[in-house]
Each structure stands twice: as structure tokens, then as C-alpha cells.
Amino acid sequence: MAPTAISKKRKFVADGVFYAELNEFLQRELAEDGYAGVEVRVTPARTEIIIRATSTMSIVGVKGRRINELTSLIQKRFGFKDGEVELYAERVMERGLCAIAQAESLKYKLLEGLAVRRAAYGVMRQIMGHGAKGCEVVISGKLRAARAKSMKFTDGFMLHSGQPTKDHIDQAVRHVLLRQGVLGIKVKIMLDTDPTGKIGPKSALPDVVIISDPKDSDDVPEQPHSVNFFNDKVVPAAAPIEEDN
């Protein structure tokens, strides 16, 4: 049976729904294992799902048992055949520079009953200690009194508009279900430029100015002259015009 044709618009919508549902499922299943995002790669042979986490050993499990269970669940839910989908676990290079991992860490600190300020400052200290340019933590909800309010904690340098916010800022949102109500957590981390692209974007900020080293003085001619690049002949400059007194 030939595959049914699908428009590009419907394909983009279907891919977006698949990614959103997969991310929600993995977020619930692997929250305690330092889940930090997922990447889906579609090849002609199979679909590869790369799970990024801080603890890859707990995701793989003993002899690959847990990752095989996750593969089976995803196959049944989305209708993949045997061998069409493959799961991989990738370790996060710097946990302190991952907004999802830090939001999950803050979430479990609040669930354990730690004070809001102490939990937020602990997360910010860890983020800035790993080399981030800036961070922002916002916690909103019923923090102490019956009336809800919002608390914002900032440190370092942070941008809020323009293309650099898409390239240099990693952010995550989580919800904490406490006895007095639901708290909202938002963590934003501004990453520094990394030429290798491992712990930050390769592109520099648009306002960064690079000053080059001055050239050697031997290249500076003693007399001014012009060069004709077509004939490779040096043409002497015109003599200055003397003004009449």
C-alpha cells in the first residue's frame, strides 16, 4: 500500500504535535533522572529519538532494560513498527547551563519544603558558577500568605529582546503542586559565546567589537603613492599644488 500524500502544512502540524506529546511523556517519566530535552531525527531507514539528560545510566537501566521499555511504549503509542524507532541517551555537558535541569532541581527543592529564597539563590549560584553570563529565576503563586505574588531573582547580564534572545538564552517553565496551591517556576540562562558550540552558541553578540593587532611598521611606505593593480606598476602621487600668497 502506497503512503498517502500529505500537505506540507499538515506535516508540520503533525510533527509539532508528535514532538509536544513525546516531550510531555518523557518529562513525566524521566523527571527524577535529570531530563533536559529531546531531539527527533527522521531518516529514511528509521526515526531516531535522542534523550538529553544529566544521568544517562538511570535512563538506560540495567542491561538496557529501561530504555527498551520506553522504546516499546513509544512504538505502541505512535504506531511505529519494530525497528522503525530507536532511542538514544545523551549526557548533558554542563548541568549548570541547562535551564530544564535547573528548573527541575528547583522544583524538587520546593517540594522538599526548602524556603523559596534559599532554593532560588542556590540554583542561581550553581548557574553562575558554571560560567553563565546571567540568569533569572521567577517564582509565582501562593508563596507565604493566602494572596499570590511573584518573586524575581536576577544575577549577571540578561537580554530581553532581539535575535540574541533566541540564540543565547535557554529557558524552561515548570509547575510545582504544593498543598497551598500551584507554584510557577521560570528559569532563564544567558549562555556565553563558545567557538566549539558545545556549551554555548558559536555566534557572538552583535555589539561585540574585536580590535585587531596593529600591523608592522615595515609595511608603511615612506612616500605616498598609488598602485595600479591592472599593470602592477607603481604610479607616483601628484605633486601638491602650491597656493599663491
Side-chain angles (χ1 to χ4, degrees):
M1 181 178 178
T4 57
I6 183 172
S7 64
K8 290 185 178 180
K9 185 188 295 186
R10 289 182 180 274
K11 184 180 184 304
F12 283 128
V13 172
D15 292 344
V17 171
F18 168 70
Y19 178 84
E21 189 170 346
L22 179 65
N23 184 45
E24 180 72 19
F25 166 70
L26 294 175
Q27 181 180 319
R28 292 177 183 272
E29 287 289 327
L30 308 175
E32 297 181 358
D33 303 311
Y35 173 73
V38 64
E39 180 183 354
V40 180
R41 296 177 184 173
V42 180
T43 61
R46 61 179 183 272
T47 301
E48 298 178 354
I49 299 174
I50 299 153
I51 303 171
R52 300 176 67 247
T54 57
S55 176
T56 55
M57 295 301 296
S58 57
I59 293 178
V60 175
V62 180
K63 297 182 180 180
R65 179 179 177 181
R66 191 176 187 191
I67 199 167
N68 290 335
E69 292 177 355
L70 293 173
T71 305
S72 178
L73 288 172
I74 292 173
Q75 280 181 352
K76 292 178 181 179
R77 169 62 187 87
F78 297 103
F80 288 107
K81 297 180 181 178
D82 292 339
E84 286 187 353
V85 62
E86 192 76 25
L87 264 67
Y88 301 96
E90 181 182 354
R91 185 175 176 274
V92 176
M93 296 294 294
E94 291 287 346
R95 177 174 179 170
L97 300 179
C98 179
I100 297 178
Q102 294 303 315
E104 290 287 347
S105 174
L106 181 57
K107 174 181 176 180
Y108 282 102
K109 286 182 179 180
L110 295 175
L111 287 173
E112 291 173 359
L114 196 64
V116 175
R117 288 181 181 273
R118 190 172 180 181
Y121 282 127
V123 168
M124 290 173 58
R125 194 181 308 112
Q126 186 175 7
I127 292 172
M128 298 303 293
H130 280 76
K133 293 195 71 172
C135 65
E136 179 181 292
V137 177
V138 181
I139 304 175
S140 58
K142 293 183 180 180
L143 302 177
R144 288 186 179 179
R147 189 174 182 85
K149 65 176 183 177
S150 178
M151 298 179 69
K152 182 185 289 187
F153 307 89
T154 58
D155 192 5
F157 177 65
M158 178 65 65
L159 292 176
H160 298 277
S161 63
Q163 182 63 31
T165 59
K166 300 179 181 179
D167 299 335
H168 289 261
I169 292 181
D170 185 20
Q171 61 181 347
V173 177
R174 288 293 180 269
H175 302 90
V176 189
L177 277 64
L178 298 178
R179 183 174 55 187
Q180 67 267 27
V182 180
L183 295 183
I185 297 173
K186 185 176 183 180
V187 178
K188 294 174 66 177
I189 302 174
M190 182 157 181
L191 306 173
D192 200 358
T193 303
D194 181 22
T196 61
K198 294 181 179 179
I199 60 175
K202 293 183 179 180
S203 60
L205 292 173
D207 59 346
V208 173
V209 178
I210 300 174
I211 301 176
S212 303
D213 295 332
K215 295 182 179 180
D216 297 334
S217 59
D218 299 338
D219 299 337
V220 179
E222 296 180 359
Q223 295 294 331
H225 63 275
S226 60
V227 179
N228 187 350
F229 291 98
F230 293 99
N231 299 328
D232 295 335
K233 294 181 179 180
V234 179
V235 181
I241 301 174
E242 297 182 358
E243 297 181 357
D244 298 334
N245 293 330

